[in-house]
Amino acid sequence: MDQATTGLPSSSVKSERPKILTKEMLIPFALVATLFPLWGFANDVTNPLVRAFKDIFLISNAQSSMVQFAFYLGYGIMAIPAALFIRRFSYKSGILLGLALYAFGALLFIPASAFMEFSYFLAALCILTCGLALLETTANPYILSMGDPETATRRLNFAQAFNPLGSLTGMFVASTFILNQLQVEEFRAAERAANPDYANQLPSVVDGKLTQALVDFSVSNPAAHQAMQAADLVTVRGPYIVIAIIVIALFLVFLFSKLPNTISHDKPLTFKETGSTFVRLLTNKRYVEGIVAQAFYVGAQIMCWTFIIHYAMTNLGMTAGEAQGYNMIAMVTFLVSRFVCTFLLGYVRPGQLLMFLAIGGIATTAGAIFLSGFAGLFSLIAISACMSLMFPTIYGIALKDLGDDASLGSAGLVMAIVGGALMPPLQGSMIDAGPIIGSIPSVKTSFLLPMLSFVVISVYGFRAHIVHRV
């Protein structure tokens, strides 16, 4: 049908590209987007605790990595119940319950520090992340539902772009108010000053000697060591009390805000319907493959951002605070790359971009393993540029066209975050076990695990692009 036949100007018959957001969704989107920095903050204020607790409690790398196991275990426990709760009630109800658990878990750092028990901190972190699981299971599909399905992935990527802001804040707080204030770090600095010959020794050797000096101090002067532990645990709990107060304030904002209910409830969540939903999801290859890819992605992300501190301290002789500074550089790189890659999504298909980013992750991880000095450290930092858009892109690809099944589908993808619980202890065990490739330090060769993860993600990107045509 031509213009003369319709009698309409050519501009009227041109199909308009769907908007990412309509006016009526701007305020709800802005409110829900404030949740994304919250779990970014929790993730990255917690990552440095792996190294901090290793020195405070004098435990192994594998034992201190249980911080990440407990943290991400909450996602495995809560993801499916969270989805069922949201499907039964509403996205707003899920947000409120998630914020309540977040605040409660953070406040449990008070008794944990008072009793000076490592296991109590692990329990507090697990409860906190049950709240994060609810928030992520709610916020991601809620954002996807706030407009045209064709712009859903771009909309989620836009919201996810605010997540690194919380991560950067968490890293800054960890560096300034935790790592640089720990008395155990002052002890290590004093030991360095008392042994000038350490300057001529390998950083990995010096790190071992400093740890042994701490052990000797705990045996020779247990009262002083316990006092140092108590002071450091009070330092650790401070940021968690502050974030608990902020989360409680946000809870009140959501409680009194009107949010649109975008769950249709056309199919009531009966036992039969729940079973049918699971069957539909498990027979969707793109979705199931997405869960596997997401588990490996989260594992890779947590390993890279947790053990960069060990990497810099062991291979370059940095203090924990100095090493955390390079972790912040990695996060800035991640943030800038996320905005760049979000722009590229307007021109490149999600699966294709994911494949290229994963290949870049393989190359930069190889650099972190085989390059020495700062070249290896900057390769490790560069991995963050490759990881920047993986999580929301995998999420968007896997949930595409799921309709009402997206709430339970989202739970599977959030549950995949349990990869962050399983892989860091494995990497910690690799570090404890010693070198496996010649004389290359074990903290470097342990990054073979993230490299394997990027191989899996590259395969999913390839299949999404070539097979699933996404």
Side-chain angles (χ1 to χ4, degrees):
M1 186 179 293
D2 59 23
Q3 182 181 341
T5 305
T6 61
L8 296 173
S10 59
S11 60
S12 299
V13 296
K14 287 182 179 178
S15 58
E16 292 185 4
R17 294 181 66 182
K19 294 180 179 180
I20 296 179
L21 281 170
T22 58
K23 285 185 179 180
E24 59 269 21
M25 285 294 182
L26 283 175
I27 292 177
F29 176 87
L31 274 174
V32 177
T34 63
L35 300 174
F36 286 76
L38 284 182
W39 60 77
F41 177 89
N43 291 342
D44 289 285
V45 79
T46 301
N47 287 342
L49 294 187
V50 174
R51 179 68 199 208
F53 281 147
K54 178 181 182 293
D55 290 335
I56 293 171
F57 289 106
L58 294 176
I59 54 182
S60 69
N61 287 296
Q63 289 172 317
S64 64
S65 296
M66 291 303 291
V67 166
Q68 300 293 33
F69 179 82
F71 190 91
Y72 291 96
L73 181 64
Y75 287 97
I77 292 172
M78 186 55 71
I80 297 296
L84 295 173
F85 179 84
I86 294 161
R87 184 78 178 269
R88 173 66 179 82
F89 296 100
S90 66
Y91 285 127
K92 180 178 178 178
S93 299
I95 290 171
L96 291 173
L97 183 56
L99 291 171
L101 286 171
Y102 189 154
F104 180 60
L107 289 174
L108 285 179
F109 267 60
I110 298 174
S113 62
F115 286 101
M116 298 175 60
E117 283 288 340
F118 181 54
S119 59
Y120 291 3
F121 283 100
L122 299 184
L125 287 169
C126 188
I127 292 170
L128 186 153
T129 49
C130 283
L132 295 185
L134 262 161
L135 292 179
E136 292 205 45
T137 304
T138 303
N140 286 304
Y142 200 8
I143 291 292
L144 289 172
S145 70
M146 287 183 176
D148 193 291
E150 288 299 313
T151 60
T153 299
R154 292 174 62 196
R155 189 162 48 253
L156 181 59
N157 282 327
F158 182 42
Q160 285 276 358
F162 295 97
N163 174 267
L165 299 177
S167 295
L168 272 175
T169 304
M171 289 180 172
F172 174 78
V173 168
S175 177
T176 306
F177 299 105
I178 297 180
L179 297 179
N180 286 333
Q181 304 298 322
L182 294 177
Q183 291 187 17
V184 70
E185 282 299 309
E186 294 176 6
F187 180 92
R188 291 170 66 92
E191 281 294 309
R192 282 180 183 275
N195 295 275
D197 57 307
Y198 285 178
N200 302 316
Q201 299 179 24
L202 289 173
S204 56
V205 173
V206 174
D207 185 64
K209 289 183 175 181
L210 293 176
T211 299
Q212 186 58 48
L214 266 171
V215 174
D216 294 341
F217 176 66
S218 70
V219 173
S220 63
N221 200 338
H225 181 257
Q226 189 175 41
M228 183 169 70
Q229 279 184 315
D232 284 348
L233 293 177
V234 169
T235 298
V236 166
R237 82 183 183 194
Y240 288 87
I241 296 173
V242 174
I243 193 63
I245 295 170
I246 294 171
V247 169
I248 290 169
L250 199 54
F251 175 92
L252 295 174
V253 171
F254 273 93
L255 182 63
F256 296 107
S257 297
K258 289 185 177 181
L259 294 175
N261 187 2
T262 56
I263 299 177
S264 69
H265 294 294
D266 289 338
K267 298 177 181 177
L269 194 61
T270 62
F271 182 81
K272 181 179 179 181
E273 176 56 26
T274 301
S276 299
T277 301
F278 277 118
V279 170
R280 288 193 295 270
L281 291 173
L282 293 175
T283 54
N284 185 322
K285 290 184 179 180
R286 173 164 46 82
Y287 171 74
V288 173
E289 292 167 9
I291 290 178
V292 175
Q294 199 72 290
F296 278 94
Y297 165 71
V298 176
Q301 175 189 292
I302 301 309
M303 287 187 285
C304 290
W305 290 350
T306 296
F307 291 105
I308 188 174
I309 296 176
H310 297 66
Y311 189 100
M313 292 179 70
T314 304
N315 296 316
L316 295 163
M318 295 183 185
T319 66
E322 290 169 339
Q324 178 66 359
Y326 285 92
N327 205 4
M328 292 178 67
I329 294 173
M331 180 51 63
V332 171
T333 303
F334 182 90
L335 176 60
V336 173
S337 178
R338 174 162 280 186
F339 282 105
V340 171
C341 290
T342 299
F343 171 77
L344 291 176
L345 267 182
Y347 304 93
V348 181
R349 289 167 63 182
Q352 186 178 27
L353 182 60
L354 180 64
M355 178 178 65
F356 288 142
L357 289 174
I359 292 171
I362 295 168
T364 48
T365 307
I369 296 170
F370 296 107
L371 297 179
S372 59
F374 277 94
L377 179 59
F378 285 122
S379 293
L380 181 51
I381 290 171
I383 295 173
S384 292
C386 302
M387 293 193 298
S388 62
L389 213 66
M390 288 185 180
F391 184 92
T393 302
I394 294 171
Y395 208 101
I397 292 172
L399 292 187
K400 184 176 173 61
D401 300 326
L402 289 188
D404 279 351
D405 290 350
S407 58
L408 278 177
S410 172
L413 288 162
V414 171
M415 193 165 64
I417 294 175
V418 79
L422 301 176
M423 294 185 190
L426 289 177
Q427 188 171 7
S429 297
M430 289 180 68
I431 295 172
D432 290 333
I436 59 173
I437 302 179
S439 60
I440 300 177
S442 60
V443 73
K444 291 169 72 74
T445 55
S446 70
F447 281 88
L448 288 169
L449 277 178
M451 179 185 284
L452 173 64
S453 299
F454 291 127
V455 171
V456 174
I457 297 164
S458 68
V459 171
Y460 182 62
F462 174 81
R463 286 183 56 79
H465 177 53
I466 301 298
V467 179
H468 303 306
R469 309 300 296 173
V470 179

